[in-house]
Amino acid sequence: MSYQQELNIALLAVQRASLLTKRVFHSHTKGPLSKSDASPVTIGDFGAQALIISALQHAFASDEIVAEEEAKDLRENEGLRTTVWDLVKEVRLRDDAAEEQIGGGVKNADIMMDIIDKGNSKGGAHGRIWALDPIDGTKGFLRGGQYAVCLALMVDGDVKVGVLGCPNLPVDDSAPLDSKVGENATDAEGMGVLFAAVQGQGATSRPLTEGALAQPKKIAMKSVSDISAATFCESVEAGHSSHSDQSQIAQKLGITKPSVRMDSQAKYGSIARGAGDVYLRLPVRKDYQEKIWDHAAGDLIVREAGGEVTDAEGNRLDFSKGRTLAANKGVVAAPEAVHKEVLDAVKSVLRNK
Ligand SMILES: Nc1ncnc2c1ncn2[C@@H]1O[C@H](COP(=O)(O)O)[C@@H](O)[C@H]1OP(=O)(O)O
Ligand SMILES: [Mg+2]
Ligand SMILES: [Mg+2]
Ligand SMILES: [Mg+2]
């Protein structure tokens, strides 16, 4: 299967949701609330989830969706509901034909909440299931840094299509990653990129526009012959991945450059286009299970760009286990040629802990 229709709808849906998140990013009222696990959620997360699921339901009515957010807070808080609805009803692609392909807008606030709650699939190994993170890196979004709108289609537990909208990364694939990439980001001129991949068809990037899709360009990971010269990417949040283990691994590989810290799956996109080389996410807590929506799109984009993505033991990420990556701990993403060398260093550091 070529999955061209799925890719097209996913790209348009992510592009439209990114318009909404950008509005919130620049407003003073992001409306952060704290969820039961103490992580934040904003009006941007709810609004983007509603717009994307609405597009998927229009195009693929019988597909299931595993999405991060639920409408409970909106049902209980009228003010919050109205604020999110005011955003959702206004945001449209500035291209009628493109907007029509994703079904136009949502009809009213009640339907919006029902749509948000359609993201409650249990996931699993059977059938067509989308994995959606409406804002990945919400902490980065609140801090003014990197974040990503993430959508992937799995068929029988295998990721077939992945799209990442990164409003605060440069369009230019060859722009070097500096240590400031994760700070005070703006979506000024030259910023905003959509990454995409279809299994067996390679990975692309294109500028994030406000209307019809821009032309895609093929992307590929940088070939790294000397691992000591590699650029590492890691989370900003030390609570999400172990900075200390990652720094020991870098040291073991002879890497002296400081790691580039940024929030969200923007890390997967950045290494897929050769702006960085290696993404490490080593567990801080034994009991944390990574969520499928935090990895599905990025995993495919990196592998289609010539990379290998495994957990800390060298197993491929298994998206067929439900809403979490229950069978995996940690993530090691690197160009194919050096992945083993990186993984050996990971194993050796973790063994000696
Ligand atoms: N203890 C944890 N370990 C790993 N990832 C976590 C942890 N807590 C939250 N996350 C998730 O990490 C992702 C962001 O990663 P990064 O640091 O690379 O930007 C978020 O989706 C966040 O989930 P959530 O959306 O529920 O807050
Ligand atoms: Mg996330
Ligand atoms: Mg999220
Ligand atoms: Mg979250």
Side-chain angles (χ1 to χ4, degrees):
M1 271 201 66
S2 74
Y3 293 105
Q4 285 316 290
Q5 170 69 349
E6 286 81 355
L7 174 65
N8 182 52
I9 297 297
L11 285 164
L12 290 172
V14 167
Q15 183 155 287
R16 181 172 67 177
S18 302
L19 292 180
L20 184 148
T21 62
K22 281 166 64 168
R23 273 203 203 187
V24 179
F25 186 83
H26 291 290
S27 73
H28 294 290
T29 49
K30 296 192 176 86
L33 301 172
S34 194
K35 298 203 284 192
S36 54
D37 63 357
S39 71
V41 60
T42 74
I43 56 174
D45 302 59
F46 292 120
Q49 178 155 325
L51 283 179
I52 290 178
I53 297 184
S54 165
L56 293 177
Q57 283 208 309
H58 172 76
F60 309 111
S62 56
D63 290 0
E64 287 188 29
I65 300 159
V66 170
E68 181 180 358
E69 311 302 345
E70 57 179 11
K72 188 168 170 280
D73 289 332
L74 305 190
R75 294 187 196 281
E76 290 168 0
N77 180 338
E78 194 187 338
L80 179 66
R81 174 163 76 239
T82 307
T83 311
V84 175
W85 171 240
D86 285 345
L87 268 172
V88 167
K89 74 178 180 211
E90 274 182 19
V91 174
R92 295 288 176 277
L93 289 173
R94 291 199 184 152
D95 179 275
D96 291 345
E99 180 65 30
E100 200 176 309
Q101 289 180 66
I102 49 175
V106 177
K107 291 214 170 54
N108 60 50
D110 286 334
I111 294 179
M112 174 184 79
M113 292 190 291
D114 292 345
I115 285 175
I116 289 172
D117 280 335
K118 290 279 183 217
N120 65 356
S121 164
K122 292 192 165 59
H126 304 290
R128 287 169 55 103
I129 306 176
W130 295 84
L132 164 61
D133 192 340
I135 294 183
D136 180 39
T138 306
K139 286 186 178 160
F141 182 75
L142 288 167
R143 232 191 284 107
Q146 292 299 325
Y147 71 96
V149 179
C150 314
L151 183 61
L153 171 66
M154 306 177 303
V155 179
D156 298 335
D158 197 23
V159 186
K160 300 295 184 185
V161 179
V163 173
L164 292 177
C166 300
N168 292 335
L169 279 183
V171 173
D172 182 3
D173 290 326
S174 55
L177 270 190
D178 61 31
S179 55
K180 299 250 182 309
V181 70
E183 299 168 18
N184 297 321
T186 61
D187 59 355
E189 194 69 17
M191 301 300 261
V193 57
L194 258 180
F195 296 104
V198 175
Q199 192 180 69
Q201 295 176 30
T204 61
S205 80
R206 73 185 84 203
L208 194 52
T209 70
E210 300 197 339
L213 296 171
Q215 283 306 309
K217 275 193 302 188
K218 282 268 175 208
I219 55 170
M221 293 191 86
K222 212 162 57 206
S223 59
V224 178
S225 46
D226 176 6
I227 191 71
S228 70
T231 302
F232 262 41
C233 295
E234 63 183 357
S235 294
V236 175
E237 298 290 331
H240 294 175
S241 74
S242 171
H243 287 171
S244 57
D245 290 348
Q246 284 150 204
S247 116
Q248 278 186 54
I249 290 156
Q251 231 174 18
K252 207 168 180 65
L253 292 166
I255 294 171
T256 50
K257 259 189 274 180
S259 64
V260 175
R261 288 184 180 163
M262 65 176 117
D263 300 277
S264 85
Q265 291 190 57
K267 294 185 277 300
Y268 281 115
S270 294
I271 67 167
R273 64 174 169 176
D277 301 300
V278 173
Y279 169 21
L280 289 184
R281 187 182 191 86
L282 298 180
V284 177
R285 289 176 7 213
K286 284 208 165 60
D287 59 346
Y288 185 78
Q289 292 188 348
E290 294 284 344
K291 312 293 193 296
I292 61 170
W293 55 77
D294 284 328
H295 301 282
D299 171 88
L300 182 67
I301 289 166
V302 165
R303 289 185 296 106
E304 287 295 326
E308 194 157 340
V309 184
T310 68
D311 65 11
E313 288 175 357
N315 302 310
R316 279 272 301 276
L317 302 187
D318 184 349
F319 293 93
S320 75
K321 297 290 181 201
R323 290 173 68 89
T324 67
L325 291 170
N328 304 107
K329 282 277 181 272
V331 177
V332 179
E336 245 168 322
V338 295
H339 183 273
K340 185 178 179 303
E341 198 177 349
V342 177
L343 183 65
D344 287 346
V346 168
K347 286 180 176 168
S348 137
V349 166
L350 295 188
R351 208 182 303 125
N352 294 323
K353 268 180 74 166

